[in-house]
Amino acid sequence: MRLADFALERYFARWEFSVQHILCASDLQGMPMAEVLAMADEETQSLWDRLTLGYTESTGHPLLRQEIATLYDGMASDDILVFAGAEEAIFCLANVALEAGDHAIVTWPGYQSLYEVARGAGADVTLHELREDAGWAIDLDLLRRQVTPATRLIVINAPHNPTGMLPDRATYDGLVDLAADAGAHLVVDEVYRFLEFDEGDRLPAGADALERGVSIGVMSKSFAMAGLRIGWLATRDRDLLARCAAFKDYTTICSSAPSEILALIGLRARDVLLARSRGIVTTNLERLDALFDEWADRFTWVRPRAGSVGFPRLTVPGVTIDDWSAGLVAAEGVLLLPGSQFGFGGNHFRLGFGRTDLPVALDRLEAYAARTLR
Ligand SMILES: Cc1ncc(COP(=O)(O)O)c(C=O)c1O
């Protein structure tokens, strides 16, 4: 399999650990280990204290799978398969669900591996383009026209990276019906689920919504534990899950033993983690709203409905976001992610608002904007 470079990851490899402020990160501010361990209950504290560093169960620690299952309405432990991050889950899923001659539809702009691995597996991929002037909404009529008899996967990411889009309930229900009619798996990358700004907007998980629904989850975003590298698939399609498990024997075989226990501690304390994460993003959003209000004649801002990222656009004639963000990082040590890293034109850039240094980073961005965009 030959895969094109993952543009965003190559960009982060260049910058992530050398700039002062990553104003485009999608993860939530991590917690110190001591705070994580302080959340352990009696059982998880004992699991941690007695932990030996052998191989672990390749499907995932039974207690962890059981805990993950409770994030859904109708999932049992056996409907869950644990991976090294959502990234490995995506890699295994596309490899077992698709082959040459198959067709997949994937929302775009988006997380590159969602369509790149599908291509690498030999599938024909149609990108379902989201448009700013439509509020980044999924277009059901277009999607219906994109389905072919060979369509095996319809892949959406909601809440969405990079736009912060969350479909309304009617659109989501339409999508579920459409996938069921097409006989395709509906894969919903839900790594930002539980970060809806209005909790009433939370959608049913893909795995719960239909028999062939697949949910992708991870500890990295809403649960603020990216360094664990623990993710999962949830689906009632046990045959698909078994094939993913067999494929995983060629990637990581099993998860990191300490990470599984820490993930279990985090998920059992999910109310604390999610309240913390929501607190960070909603406070930061207020700052962003004020900034974009002030600079409305220089930037567009489709306010995200969920998650930790948004996709504004620089509208100053003659200034490209690639050049402007290169100047910003050089002058102020503040990193943005130009839309070109998603292969998406139009002067957009990804802003992340899951980190606690956002106020300082925004002050610097504003100072730079005042010098260069007025
Ligand atoms: C939509 C989406 N899916 C999957 C992932 C992968 O998550 P992880 O790197 O934690 O495996 C990301 C990470 O940015 C993402 O934004």
Side-chain angles (χ1 to χ4, degrees), residues 111-275:
Y111 192 66
Q112 190 175 338
S113 58
L114 291 172
Y115 50 89
E116 205 66 65
V117 185
R119 282 179 186 149
D124 177 23
V125 174
T126 299
L127 298 176
H128 180 85
E129 183 171 343
L130 308 175
R131 296 195 344 257
E132 184 187 40
D133 60 9
W136 303 115
I138 289 171
D139 179 342
L140 281 184
D141 291 330
L142 172 63
L143 196 70
R144 205 166 283 116
R145 292 196 301 277
Q146 290 177 320
V147 170
T148 77
T151 305
R152 299 283 167 269
L153 294 188
I154 298 175
V155 183
I156 70 157
N157 164 218
H160 183 250
N161 167 15
T163 66
M165 176 276 290
L166 179 68
D168 59 33
R169 185 63 199 263
T171 304
Y172 190 71
D173 289 347
L175 191 68
V176 169
D177 290 345
L178 200 152
D181 289 349
H185 281 100
L186 178 64
V187 178
V188 190
D189 180 329
E190 296 163 354
V191 299
Y192 302 94
R193 192 161 184 258
F194 304 111
L195 273 188
E196 301 79 7
F197 308 143
D198 177 346
E199 286 190 50
D201 289 340
R202 185 164 310 143
L203 296 168
D208 285 322
L210 73 166
E211 203 64 36
R212 290 173 154 242
V214 183
S215 290
I216 299 171
V218 83
M219 293 305 294
S220 312
K221 314 295 181 181
S222 318
F223 301 110
M225 294 184 163
L228 296 185
R229 311 309 300 127
I230 293 283
W232 58 87
L233 289 179
T235 181
R236 275 174 282 172
D237 186 338
R238 299 258 174 107
D239 173 60
L240 181 71
L241 217 54
R243 288 189 289 136
C244 287
F247 194 87
K248 189 186 158 189
D249 293 340
Y250 286 103
T251 52
T252 60
I253 301 176
C254 66
S255 294
S256 145
S259 289
E260 286 197 320
I261 305 305
L262 294 169
L264 181 59
I265 292 173
L267 287 179
R268 285 191 177 175
R270 76 185 73 153
D271 291 346
V272 178
L273 288 188
L274 292 175

